[in-house]
């Protein structure tokens, strides 16, 4: 891997060399500005500095661990990551169900999806596809916006008996903002009052021209209830995925994104992550947001233990120091000490930011009130 001197890196980042030395010291490394650091260390450093800047000005949605790309010859095809979006009750969960051939609707409280779930299926044609389920409520649109950033393809579910609704438009906007191709799934076509043609026409008002209207966006009529059209949808996904030529390097330390995380009574903090490149293995040390850990177990959506998980694979990770946030980046580092140091450093930075943003004394507090 490439090496770079601290001063060179500082110049490129438009930061002071001394500040980088200090940050490195806090991460447990004693170096001078003229010494070289390896690529992984440089990446973490860039992220630390990037983190602070974006935290003040914007959400940390777009923070990526590293901007560098793997050499072309190391890349291998990877499965597409597909997010299902759409208005409440238009059948997102039912569609996922139909796609998985199992029923999760019954298991949900009140039939409303509470979390983003992630699953990978293998189709009859032996294609692997990763699906992300998203909550249907407007309050969770932030999470949905985040979901689109790890997404290669969006399936927009529109119920043919209800048509374009507010959250349909929201989903269209999120998809456009993310620059992700869309497939329109016109659902509930088994219902007598279904009007798929009206859905296609109304989509034109939002600049979505589907194939049936001589446009380029694939549209599929289906019923999540009867299963009609599900095969066509899988074909449409395979076609779109082929056009995208999705690739990632599998033989390197893993990077992943947190899809959801919670404190499990029996298992402790658990995060569902989506591997974006590399292969995540049991025993790997990692940093995730302001938490760290060592992979104690990897579990797939069927509850099976895995030894490793490659690109586009969603897995539950056990062995975290605490609960990270959805959208946090997950990075494998070389050892446990390093993982802890980076996480501690991030925690300090986060605390510093909060303190800096809070009113410093009563004068400023009251002057802002008057
Ligand atoms: P939220 O997660 O609450 O936003 O809903 P959702 O979009 O996941 O919808 P869900 O899959 O929970 O379906 C809502 C209702 O529509 C349920 O009662 C389903 O049984 C019904 N439904 C879903 N798909 C179909 C379909 O193709 N045909 C018919 N007739 N009913 C459907
Ligand atoms: Mg649902």
């Amino acid at each position: 891997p490439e090496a770079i001197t601290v001063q060179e890196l500082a110049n490129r980042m438009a930061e002071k060399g001394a500040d980088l030395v200090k940050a490195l010291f806090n991460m447990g490394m004693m170096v001078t500005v003229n010494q070289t650091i390896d690529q992984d260390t440089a990446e973490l450093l860039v992220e630390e500095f990037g983190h602070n800047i974006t935290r003040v000005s914007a959400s940390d949605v777009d923070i990526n661990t590293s901007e560098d790309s793997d050499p072309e010859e190391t890349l291998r095809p990877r499965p597409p990551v597909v997010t299902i979006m759409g208005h409440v009750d238009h059948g997102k969960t039912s569609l996922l169900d139909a796609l998985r051939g199992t029923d999760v609707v019954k298991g949900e409280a009140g039939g409303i999806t509470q979390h983003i779930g992630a699953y990978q299926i293998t189709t009859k044609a032996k294609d692997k596809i990763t699906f992300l389920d998203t909550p249907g409520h407007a309050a969770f649109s932030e999470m949905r916006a985040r979901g689109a950033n790890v997404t290669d393809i969006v399936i927009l579910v529109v119920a043919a008996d209800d048509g374009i609704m507010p959250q349909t438009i929201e989903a269209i906007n999120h998809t456009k903002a993310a620059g992700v191709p869309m497939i329109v799934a016109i659902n509930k076509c088994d219902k007598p009052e279904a009007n798929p043609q009206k859905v296609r026409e109304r989509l034109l008002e939002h600049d979505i021209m589907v194939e049936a209207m001589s446009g380029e966006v694939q549209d599929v009529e289906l019923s999540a209830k009867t299963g009609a059209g599900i095969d066509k949808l899988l074909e449409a996904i395979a076609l779109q995925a082929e056009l995208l030529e999705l690739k990632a390097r599998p033989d390197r330390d893993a990077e992943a994104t947190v899809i959801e995380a919670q404190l499990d009574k029996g298992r402790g903090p658990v995060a569902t992550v989506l591997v974006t490149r590399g292969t995540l293995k049991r025993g790997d040390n990692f940093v995730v947001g302001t938490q760290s850990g060592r992979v104690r177990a990897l579990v797939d959506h069927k509850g099976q233990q895995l030894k490793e998980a490659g690109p586009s694979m969603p897995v539950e990770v056990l062995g975290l120091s605490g609960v990270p946030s959805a959208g946090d980046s997950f990075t494998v580092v070389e050892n446990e000490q390093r993982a802890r140091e980076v996480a501690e450093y991030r925690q300090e930075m986060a605390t510093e930011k909060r303190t800096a943003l809070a009113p410093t004394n009563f004068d400023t507090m009251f002057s802002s009130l008057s």
Side-chain angles (χ1 to χ4, degrees):
E2 262 179 62
I4 186 170
T5 69
V6 174
Q7 188 58 56
E8 262 180 296
L9 182 64
N11 293 347
R12 284 198 213 171
M13 288 163 64
E15 296 281 350
K16 287 195 190 110
D19 289 345
L20 265 66
V21 169
K22 194 174 153 202
L24 286 163
F25 178 77
N26 285 329
M27 285 158 75
M29 293 178 71
M30 299 267 264
V31 290
T32 68
V33 286
N34 297 319
Q35 272 178 285
T36 58
I37 51 174
D38 65 19
Q39 207 178 336
D40 287 349
T41 306
E43 273 175 24
L44 283 169
L45 207 51
V46 168
E47 197 196 350
E48 294 308 333
F49 279 79
H51 225 73
N52 300 336
I53 296 155
T54 33
R55 251 190 216 207
V56 184
S57 57
S59 67
D60 47 349
V61 172
D62 292 323
I63 290 170
N64 245 313
T65 314
S66 47
E67 295 298 320
D68 71 315
S69 49
D70 293 306
E72 182 66 35
E73 67 273 15
T74 63
L75 304 181
R76 297 290 174 273
R78 64 168 179 84
V81 178
V82 178
T83 294
I84 315 247
M85 288 190 185
H87 194 70
V88 181
D89 276 356
H90 278 201
K92 298 175 293 294
T93 304
S94 302
L95 179 56
L96 261 173
D97 245 17
L99 288 160
R100 291 201 305 157
T102 55
D103 198 344
V104 295
V105 178
K106 284 182 203 143
E108 288 173 2
I112 292 170
T113 307
Q114 302 292 348
H115 297 289
I116 296 177
Y119 325 88
Q120 191 174 77
I121 64 155
T122 305
T123 68
K124 268 186 261 167
K126 297 265 174 357
D127 295 317
K128 283 193 160 67
I129 307 173
T130 298
F131 289 102
L132 304 183
D133 188 13
T134 60
H137 283 219
F140 293 135
S141 55
E142 167 66 16
M143 263 169 83
R144 193 158 55 193
R146 285 179 152 213
N149 283 318
V150 289
T151 295
D152 302 307
I153 299 167
V154 165
I155 294 180
L156 180 70
V157 180
V158 188
D161 61 336
D162 203 24
I164 311 297
M165 298 302 280
Q167 285 176 299
T168 314
I169 298 165
E170 249 180 64
I172 291 171
N173 293 339
H174 283 315
T175 309
K176 282 182 181 166
V180 173
M182 175 191 288
I183 297 170
V184 179
I186 306 176
N187 191 31
K188 306 201 187 184
C189 285
D190 60 287
K191 286 195 161 185
E193 63 271 37
N195 190 345
Q197 188 54 25
K198 192 176 160 204
V199 171
R200 295 188 187 98
E201 284 164 15
R202 288 284 320 277
L203 282 171
L204 285 173
E205 293 165 27
H206 302 279
D207 294 322
I208 309 287
M209 198 186 281
V210 297
E211 281 183 339
M213 305 287 282
S214 309
E216 303 212 315
V217 177
Q218 297 191 81
D219 58 311
V220 180
E221 284 184 24
L222 52 84
S223 165
K225 193 178 177 184
T226 68
I230 298 295
D231 283 350
K232 282 226 172 67
L233 180 63
L234 290 173
E235 281 169 29
I237 295 166
L239 183 66
Q240 185 63 63
E242 210 178 301
L243 290 172
L244 292 171
E245 294 186 42
L246 304 164
K247 286 175 183 170
R249 178 177 183 173
D251 66 337
R252 55 163 287 158
D253 283 347
E255 283 176 17
T257 303
V258 176
I259 302 300
E260 64 178 354
Q262 68 275 323
L263 191 61
D264 191 290
K265 258 190 189 163
R267 303 184 298 168
V270 179
T272 302
V273 307
L274 181 76
V275 178
T276 48
R277 61 174 169 176
T279 298
L280 183 59
K281 302 186 177 94
R282 228 186 280 168
D284 278 349
N285 292 289
F286 61 82
V287 181
V288 55
T290 54
Q291 306 298 334
S292 63
R294 184 158 194 258
V295 179
R296 201 169 73 225
L298 296 170
V299 185
D300 73 6
H301 75 270
K302 291 171 191 156
Q304 249 135 21
Q305 296 249 356
L306 306 176
K307 278 199 180 114
E308 52 177 50
S312 297
M313 183 71 187
V315 274
E316 276 192 329
V317 178
L318 277 69
L320 295 91
S321 63
V323 182
S325 309
D328 277 349
S329 66
F330 178 110
T331 312
V332 168
V333 293
E334 68 266 24
N335 60 48
E336 199 175 331
Q337 193 195 350
R338 181 66 174 283
R340 266 207 307 269
E341 280 163 2
V342 175
E344 271 166 26
Y345 177 64
R346 286 181 177 178
Q347 272 161 24
E348 275 168 32
M349 295 309 278
T351 313
E352 248 173 60
K353 274 291 160 293
R354 275 199 297 277
T355 317
L357 290 173
T360 44
N361 57 45
F362 283 105
D363 283 343
T364 45
M365 232 170 100
F366 287 118
S367 66
S368 66
L369 289 175
S370 58

